[in-house]
Amino acid sequence: MIGSAISAVKYTDGSHYAFTSDFAWPLHNLPVRPDVLVVDATYGNPANIRNYSPTDVVHRFLQVVQELHSAGSIVVTGYRGRLQYALQVMVDHFKGPYVVSRHVSDTLHEYMFHQGFHVDTHQLGTPDAKAVMNAGRFVALVETRDKTDLLSVQADNKIFLSAFMVPREDPVRVLSNGVTRVALTDHADFLGTIELVKAIEPARLIADGTRGGNAEALADYVEAELRIPSTSIAEPTSPAWGMH
């Protein structure tokens, strides 16, 4: 995930620790066999294993966009990184025009640079964006925290990107309020998290649930199935990673 990192630390006593922040899977150049791996447990619950692959989610997302775009304009909402990923997915299939909220615009150039694609966008609140929205159908991408921008968009259909509150059998859920939830995420799911642990092969694991998530369930699974001694930090103490 753009802007995330895995830190490897060696202490003067010779001990070796590795720490993950948010991550996608697969990854390369990983630390190998540290004494302790502290791993993000956002998707750490084996009970939430989805019966579809990330490729399936992308396919269904594009289907939903195509169906809704044929009926009118669309506003896609979600968190940072997820919306830039959605734009990368859409750009080869839909010409737009695309309008984006301030926080999407602030990081989009970095995402395009590192992911190797380009798309022209118009930032909400500018004359260009207003002209585009007045001219006809458009696709708007708005971060959930950009509430003023979200209120300014008059779109016929809404898509919310989240892997939570979506059935395990189908990555799409249509709600009664006209919102379609799609389980499109740039974060590794449970199986991706397990593959990361297998690739790093730590002597001990600490599942980090300080931002919420499923730390206890992940620690229990890793200890039982991978035979790696595991503990969890399950109490959220801060929204910032590592502040515990």
Side-chain angles (χ1 to χ4, degrees):
M1 296 172 65
I2 301 300
S4 63
I6 294 181
S7 302
V9 180
K10 290 186 178 180
Y11 291 91
T12 54
D13 63 1
S15 58
H16 181 196
Y17 284 67
F19 305 82
T20 78
S21 59
D22 288 330
F23 62 92
W25 184 258
L27 287 173
H28 307 286
N29 300 320
L30 295 169
V32 179
R33 299 185 184 89
D35 298 301
V36 178
L37 170 65
V38 182
V39 65
D40 174 67
T42 299
Y43 293 93
N45 195 337
N48 295 332
I49 294 177
R50 302 181 296 179
N51 298 320
Y52 41 83
S53 69
T55 302
D56 296 331
V57 179
V58 169
H59 178 69
R60 292 286 281 117
F61 172 65
L62 291 173
Q63 282 186 328
V64 169
V65 173
Q66 183 174 16
E67 292 169 5
L68 296 181
H69 193 256
S70 65
S73 298
I74 304 171
V75 57
V76 184
T77 61
Y79 294 101
R80 180 175 55 192
R82 199 167 299 174
L83 288 172
Q84 287 86 348
Y85 175 51
L87 185 57
Q88 180 184 359
V89 167
M90 287 189 290
V91 69
D92 289 333
H93 302 272
F94 303 96
K95 293 182 179 179
Y98 294 100
V99 295
V100 299
S101 67
R102 179 173 65 87
H103 283 104
V104 175
S105 179
D106 285 347
T107 56
L108 182 57
H109 62 289
E110 290 292 339
Y111 200 95
M112 291 191 294
F113 175 78
H114 289 286
Q115 298 299 93
F117 74 101
H118 178 78
V119 58
D120 291 321
T121 62
H122 309 274
Q123 184 174 328
L124 285 164
T126 64
D128 284 348
K130 292 178 182 178
V132 163
M133 291 189 290
N134 289 332
R137 285 183 296 178
F138 59 88
V139 178
L141 294 98
V142 182
E143 271 201 36
T144 52
R145 58 178 165 164
D146 290 329
K147 299 186 184 303
T148 301
D149 282 339
L150 184 59
L151 291 173
S152 72
V153 178
Q154 300 299 315
D156 304 282
N157 300 287
K158 297 179 181 179
I159 299 173
F160 182 63
L161 304 180
S162 174
F164 294 102
M165 296 178 66
V166 176
R168 286 184 289 169
E169 296 75 24
D170 190 333
V172 175
R173 182 182 183 186
V174 180
L175 304 180
S176 58
N177 61 356
V179 175
T180 300
R181 296 181 73 100
V182 181
L184 187 76
T185 176
D186 54 342
H187 196 295
D189 60 9
F190 175 78
L191 295 178
T193 301
I194 295 303
E195 290 304 314
L196 175 115
V197 175
K198 288 180 179 178
I200 294 180
E201 297 183 90
R204 183 164 71 91
L205 179 132
I206 299 175
D208 180 13
T210 55
R211 295 181 302 162
N214 303 279
E216 291 183 9
L218 178 60
D220 290 345
Y221 182 93
V222 170
E223 183 148 335
E225 300 297 327
L226 303 185
R227 299 292 190 268
I228 297 173
S230 302
T231 56
S232 63
I233 303 170
E235 285 296 324
T237 57
S238 167
W241 183 90
M243 297 296 292
H244 53 72

